Amino acid sequence: MKPWKLLDSSFLVDAPWLKVAKEKCELPNGKVIDDFYTLWQPDWVLILARTAEGNWVMTEQYRHGTGKIALEFPAGIIDKNETPEEAAIRELQEECGYSMNNEQLTMNNCSLEKNVVYLGAYPVNPDRHRGKFHVVFIDGVVRSGSTNFDDTEEIESKEMSDEELQAKMLNGEFSHPLQMAGYFKWKLAH
């Protein structure tokens, strides 16, 4: 099996948070597709943050794509020159008011690495999407300080046990497929 050959590409939408490209591609069998559309968005981080008591830090916020309030794990865009782990720590504080406890913050990097675990990068949609999401697990977080929302955000945070989270997955209250995949990636590793 061989990859497609890109013959031409032009952006139909070229905004900071979304790009849409029209591409002309040649398949290995010689067939040409004149109008294959791809989406480009900045990479983002999914944050699986667990308290010392074993509860997950969750968010609720309005999602315009579905027109509903959504239960989710915290997540956010990875800034330029920022690692997924750095983005996870920053976004967790900004969106939820949670951070690693003071004892963890004063430890050396070797100990910090035990509490902040990078679980990998995954395609958002391998068919048409060029962006990816990164999954970071942070263990032993505590509520500390205040939130710092972007001007388009209104987020409520809550804690939830693993059993409560799985029940909400089962009944459809937690239904974000990429976030569920990130959670199950963590679950399979533990």
Side-chain angles (χ1 to χ4, degrees):
M1 187 172 297
K2 295 180 181 178
W4 294 2
K5 183 178 178 182
L6 181 62
L7 302 176
D8 189 38
S9 180
S10 60
F11 285 116
L12 304 177
V13 175
D14 191 1
W17 304 111
L18 175 68
K19 298 179 189 312
V20 179
K22 179 180 178 184
E23 299 181 344
K24 182 176 183 178
C25 302
E26 182 180 345
L27 281 61
N29 66 7
K31 178 176 175 53
V32 173
I33 300 174
D34 291 318
D35 58 350
F36 192 89
Y37 298 92
T38 56
L39 301 172
W40 307 59
Q41 288 179 288
D43 285 1
W44 57 278
V45 63
L46 169 63
I47 308 156
L48 304 176
R50 189 172 64 177
T51 67
E53 297 77 29
N55 292 324
W56 294 107
V57 176
M58 305 298 294
T59 64
E60 286 186 321
Q61 61 185 309
Y62 175 74
R63 292 301 192 186
H64 193 63
T66 59
K68 296 180 180 178
I69 306 294
L71 177 66
E72 301 176 340
F73 286 108
I77 300 295
I78 299 171
D79 290 340
K80 188 175 182 174
N81 299 320
E82 187 176 46
T83 68
E85 296 90 339
E86 292 167 339
I89 291 168
R90 176 185 52 75
E91 287 283 350
L92 185 63
Q93 178 65 56
E94 288 177 4
E95 289 191 355
C96 304
Y98 281 77
S99 65
M100 299 172 69
N101 69 38
N102 288 335
E103 182 179 308
Q104 291 169 315
L105 293 173
T106 58
M107 292 179 181
N108 63 34
N109 283 340
C110 183
S111 296
L112 277 176
E113 289 173 7
K114 180 180 168 191
N115 292 55
V116 180
V117 180
Y118 181 73
L119 297 173
Y122 306 95
V124 172
N125 177 350
D127 180 43
R128 295 188 182 272
H129 203 290
R130 298 279 166 77
K132 57 189 172 209
F133 72 103
H134 301 258
V135 182
V136 174
F137 171 67
I138 307 175
D139 203 15
V141 300
V142 295
R143 189 179 294 272
S144 63
S146 59
T147 56
N148 184 22
F149 299 139
D150 293 339
D151 60 1
T152 59
E153 294 177 318
E154 182 181 349
I155 302 170
E156 292 182 13
S157 298
K158 58 173 59 177
E159 293 181 19
M160 192 171 292
S161 72
D162 202 53
E163 295 77 18
E164 291 170 314
L165 176 60
Q166 289 184 30
K168 292 195 181 294
M169 287 180 186
L170 189 60
N171 73 19
E173 289 179 65
F174 180 83
S175 60
H176 192 304
L178 300 178
Q179 292 200 358
M180 291 169 74
Y183 167 81
F184 280 108
K185 170 67 177 177
W186 172 85
K187 195 78 169 164
L188 290 170
H190 291 86

